[in-house]
Amino acid sequence: MNARIVTGPAPGTTSTTTTATTTQPVTGPAPGSDAGGANATVARANKPQGTADFSVAAVFSHHMVLQRHRPIPVFGHGKPGMQLRVRLLDTAPAADSGAAALIAEAAGQILPDGSWRILLPSQEAGGPYQLEIRDLTGTQLVFHDVMIGEVWIASGQSNMEFELHSTREAAQAIAQSADPMLRFYNTPKSGDISDALFEAERESSWQACSPDTTGTMSAVAYYFAARLRRQFGTAMPIGIIDCYIGGTSITCWMDQATIESSDAGRPYWQRYQQALAGHTEQDFHDMTLAWKTKFDHWNAQIESARTANPNVSWDELNAAYGECPWPPPVTPHSQYRPTGAFTAMVARIAPYAVRGVLWYQGEEDAPYSASYAVLLRQMIALWRRVWRIDIGADADQHSSDACTEHTAYTAYTAELPFIIIQLPQWIDRATDEAHADPLDWPVIRDTQWSASRDIPGVTTVCTIDCGEYDNIHPYDKRTVGERAAAIVLRTMYGYRQIAAWGPEPLEIQSYGNTDDGGGVLIRYRHATGLRFNGTVPGTGNTDTLDAVSRAAGQSGFELAGADGIFHDATAQIVPAGIKIGGTAGIFGRENSVGRADDGTPLNHATVSDTPISHTPIDDSTAIRVYSPDVPQPAAIRYAWKSWGPAPVRNAAGLPAIPFRASVSRL
């Protein structure tokens, strides 16, 4: 088995370590995050806590942002049978009465299982409002400074967890972050429903962005939200629900029934059960305490060393203090166990109304990359189920205005949008120097892109150019967040002038024999100004290589024949009207892949030997790939390495998506 890399956190720093090898799939928490267990929370004064009779989910607090243009679920727990009423009030006094104006209200009853959910009718963006929940005895919970706007969930593992204070631009970004209409909620990190979780939830609260608060916000989510704020203007509140844990497998974000329902998920559950076998609760307690003590001590040493010398290298730190003590022990209470984050986090914020989900995860599952395609689709389907609301089934407890939106809302929740951030390039130095790339990350990337082609309402953000060599937590989160924002602004909010897509292979076709000047032609969509730029991440606009052709080993393209062995290939951008092998290139619509200009996914890539017509190729939209080592190509791939050349870009500077495809020959 290929060795895996342990990466540990370094609180308050802008760097991480890739250290000792292990046979377990471990990526660890983001640098600067609280990885030792319970969240470090700050008590929020006057947050309504509820009573033994009824309480509301912890995600409801002062300063929250509610989703516009969707019925608003308000939900919690209490004594079965109790009647509740929810009201939304405009706190600006009415001119005629001086009293707060009623915006919306609805009533409902706590169900036999102790849960309750009441829907308020959808609203336009605005605020500040006041949200009231009361029972028939007069007990009420009142939430102030409530805004209505656009709400997104930011979820996944460490690269989504990576907090703003740990980025390279942290000081400037945080100093300029004051924005009372950009707000966020940090879901308490937990894998177990316990008293510690309840306490963390009582202390959790929505916060407005300011230099005092934004440091603990997901950096990707902050840059995403800030970009939306700039585009929408000051009148549109933006809310982010941070819901992530570094070092988590995708199975941490799924329920047991889903995990055990497939051949892809069952081995995860079996490995977990095997790790628990033979241990007592006292064993779990002792193992966790011993690990946390060691982990906290190591963290304190690293933080102290980096404070004294911000330029100290990780080689020096590892030599002085040893490798990061990671992973933690497997226990039935761990936040890294399968189902843990779903049970203790996702299920406790659902179905809070949101526009969609930003999902950045996959590193932890790389050793099981062949299973990830099934698991990703299962997780998306599961989340869509828990966010789905059947308004018609609960019509008796909602206002008629809410019921009129049944059709639109059901369609929305059935297709909860997912914006998947594709894994960037990364490899650890030891693996690279041993030439032992397991090629797991390219498979995960391909799965993430395939999901956007196969599943309605799923889009992939290509970040192939955003990685860092030997650093699994790249510092540049601005590019990632703003690129995700560009995609949703174009595809979901109608800003069609925004450049959102890098070049995507639309049509692929083999022709002739490379001995006679043939090869493979790739026609790209979103390819205005198609060019080669740089080689690996960080080299764009710094090299003197040709912008219209690249030699084998520098192009990022590889070809394989019938033997399945890939060889580096030469690549050349084909200008309009060029004759290749006696013909000019154009490809049939049936051989297409990628997405239309509006973001609509097209079909899977297929490749054929159908003769190329004489219709000219559009300027700078095609690349010819060839290799003398592969006279009859049977397969092609681009950027199919954990770390390697990926130089294709368009005029907007957006990178081409990595891909692989078979080449059929007659």
Side-chain angles (χ1 to χ4, degrees):
M1 179 180 294
N2 290 307
R4 307 307 303 162
I5 299 304
V6 178
T7 63
T13 72
T14 59
S15 181
T16 64
T17 179
T18 54
T19 61
T21 60
T22 174
T23 58
Q24 297 301 315
V26 181
T27 57
S33 67
D34 174 31
N39 293 60
T41 55
V42 179
R44 309 299 170 193
N46 303 318
K47 177 181 177 180
Q49 301 293 344
T51 68
D53 291 335
F54 78 94
S55 62
V56 67
V59 68
F60 293 88
S61 79
H62 303 310
H63 317 301
M64 68 183 127
V65 182
L66 303 173
Q67 178 63 43
R68 65 169 177 158
H69 297 168
R70 300 287 182 261
I72 302 169
V74 184
F75 51 95
H77 288 83
K79 290 184 177 180
M82 178 170 288
Q83 297 289 326
L84 299 177
R85 179 168 293 276
V86 178
R87 300 200 305 167
L88 186 68
L89 302 170
D90 188 342
T91 54
D96 53 350
S97 65
L102 178 65
I103 302 299
E105 67 176 339
Q109 180 175 298
I110 300 178
L111 300 176
D113 66 357
S115 67
W116 62 270
R117 184 181 66 213
I118 297 173
L119 288 184
L120 291 173
S122 66
Q123 304 294 321
E124 294 292 336
Y129 299 129
Q130 180 173 294
L131 183 70
E132 296 182 354
I133 310 166
R134 65 174 63 198
D135 63 18
L136 297 182
T137 70
T139 300
Q140 68 176 357
L141 308 179
V142 180
F143 299 96
H144 301 288
D145 188 32
V146 176
M147 305 301 296
I148 296 176
E150 288 294 307
V151 184
W152 285 84
I153 296 173
S155 191
Q157 61 177 108
S158 55
N159 276 304
M160 185 63 85
E161 177 187 52
F162 197 101
E163 295 173 349
L164 188 61
H165 70 83
S166 292
T167 62
R168 181 173 286 122
E169 301 174 340
Q172 179 180 2
I174 291 173
Q176 298 174 350
S177 66
D179 185 348
M181 292 296 100
L182 200 168
R183 305 179 179 190
F184 66 100
Y185 173 80
N186 279 330
T187 306
K189 297 174 189 173
S190 179
D192 189 36
I193 297 178
S194 62
D195 289 342
L197 173 60
F198 298 149
E199 179 61 26
E201 287 182 334
R202 285 190 289 270
E203 295 175 351
S204 65
S205 180
W206 282 81
Q207 302 176 71
C209 283
S210 75
D212 294 330
T213 63
T214 50
T216 60
M217 187 179 180
S218 161
V220 168
Y222 171 75
Y223 286 120
F224 170 85
R227 177 70 179 86
L228 296 188
R229 284 282 295 148
R230 292 196 300 273
Q231 190 69 47
F232 286 134
T234 57
M236 180 65 69
I238 302 294
I240 296 291
I241 299 177
D242 287 331
C243 184
Y244 39 67
I245 300 177
T248 48
S249 159
I250 193 171
T251 58
C252 298
W253 302 96
M254 301 162 65
D255 64 8
Q256 182 178 344
T258 303
I259 295 171
E260 292 194 287
S261 69
S262 70
D263 291 339
R266 277 189 293 274
Y268 280 85
W269 192 255
Q270 291 166 357
R271 288 190 292 267
Y272 168 59
Q273 292 297 315
Q274 290 167 1
L276 299 183
H279 294 293
T280 65
E281 279 295 325
Q282 187 62 47
D283 292 337
F284 295 133
H285 176 271
D286 293 344
M287 288 189 296
T288 301
L289 180 60
W291 169 79
K292 190 175 187 305
T293 300
K294 184 178 181 180
F295 181 86
D296 289 347
H297 178 66
W298 182 87
N299 262 347
Q301 290 179 309
I302 297 297
E303 185 173 10
S304 177
R306 289 191 63 82
T307 299
N309 179 14
N311 296 318
V312 63
S313 72
W314 275 108
D315 288 340
E316 294 172 309
L317 291 171
N318 292 336
Y321 305 110
E323 310 292 357
C324 173
W326 191 264
V330 177
T331 79
H333 314 292
S334 170
Q335 58 190 12
Y336 308 102
R337 68 184 178 94
T339 76
F342 178 83
T343 301
M345 298 175 70
V346 175
R348 297 179 71 78
I349 62 172
Y352 193 94
V354 297
R355 175 65 67 183
V357 178
L358 299 177
W359 179 253
Y360 194 167
Q361 192 276 335
E363 302 93 330
E364 187 73 11
D365 296 289
Y368 312 109
S369 57
S371 300
Y372 196 74
V374 172
L375 296 174
L376 180 60
R377 285 157 175 76
Q378 288 184 315
M379 189 214 71
I380 291 172
L382 172 63
W383 283 39
R384 286 177 168 179
R385 287 198 302 273
V386 299
W387 256 272
R388 185 176 297 123
I389 295 177
D390 186 353
I391 297 179
D394 298 325
D396 60 326
Q397 63 172 322
H398 308 305
S399 71
S400 58
D401 288 339
C403 293
T404 61
E405 302 197 22
H406 175 248
T407 300
Y409 189 65
T410 299
Y412 163 78
T413 55
E415 301 297 341
L416 178 67
F418 270 76
I419 309 300
I420 299 174
I421 296 174
Q422 192 180 50
L423 295 189
Q425 293 207 50
W426 168 78
I427 198 169
D428 66 280
R429 185 182 302 276
T431 300
D432 185 37
E433 291 177 349
H435 304 288
D437 185 353
L439 298 181
D440 292 327
W441 281 43
V443 175
I444 296 288
R445 293 186 200 119
D446 192 54
T447 291
Q448 293 168 324
W449 186 44
S450 295
S452 68
R453 293 185 287 156
D454 297 343
I455 310 172
V458 176
T459 304
T460 302
V461 182
C462 180
T463 66
I464 193 68
D465 58 331
C466 295
E468 292 184 15
Y469 183 78
D470 203 29
N471 181 11
I472 203 168
H473 300 122
Y475 308 136
D476 178 17
K477 303 304 185 194
R478 180 190 294 272
T479 299
V480 178
E482 293 187 349
R483 195 170 287 173
I487 284 178
V488 302
L489 284 168
R490 176 161 180 161
T491 62
M492 298 179 65
Y493 295 117
Y495 291 91
R496 297 298 172 83
Q497 78 281 9
I498 293 176
W501 310 114
E504 294 183 352
L506 175 65
E507 297 152 340
I508 303 171
Q509 189 169 35
S510 65
Y511 65 98
N513 186 302
T514 54
D515 292 337
D516 302 320
V520 176
L521 282 177
I522 309 164
R523 183 184 175 194
Y524 279 94
R525 181 176 286 276
H526 313 301
T528 299
L530 191 69
R531 69 186 188 277
F532 295 107
N533 184 13
T535 52
V536 295
T539 62
N541 301 317
T542 64
D543 64 84
T544 57
L545 297 175
D546 192 350
V548 296
S549 65
R550 284 295 166 90
Q554 297 177 328
S555 70
F557 288 96
E558 299 171 272
L559 293 174
D563 60 4
I565 299 174
F566 279 92
H567 298 266
D568 290 333
T570 299
Q572 179 183 17
I573 295 174
V574 180
I578 191 170
K579 302 289 184 178
I580 300 178
T583 61
I586 190 69
F587 306 86
R589 287 291 176 183
E590 69 276 8
N591 302 325
S592 62
V593 63
R595 72 188 75 250
D597 289 331
D598 63 356
T600 304
L602 299 173
N603 296 326
H604 282 285
T606 58
V607 188
S608 73
D609 277 338
T610 303
I612 302 172
S613 76
H614 291 273
T615 306
I617 300 174
D618 292 338
D619 186 32
S620 296
T621 60
I623 295 179
R624 175 196 175 205
V625 181
Y626 56 95
S627 170
D629 297 320
V630 189
Q632 293 188 340
I636 184 172
R637 62 190 190 188
Y638 169 73
W640 203 264
K641 290 181 172 66
S642 296
W643 181 270
V648 179
R649 296 175 182 266
N650 61 18
L654 296 172
I657 196 85
F659 75 91
R660 62 178 174 181
S662 297
V663 179
S664 301
R665 302 194 69 86
L666 298 178

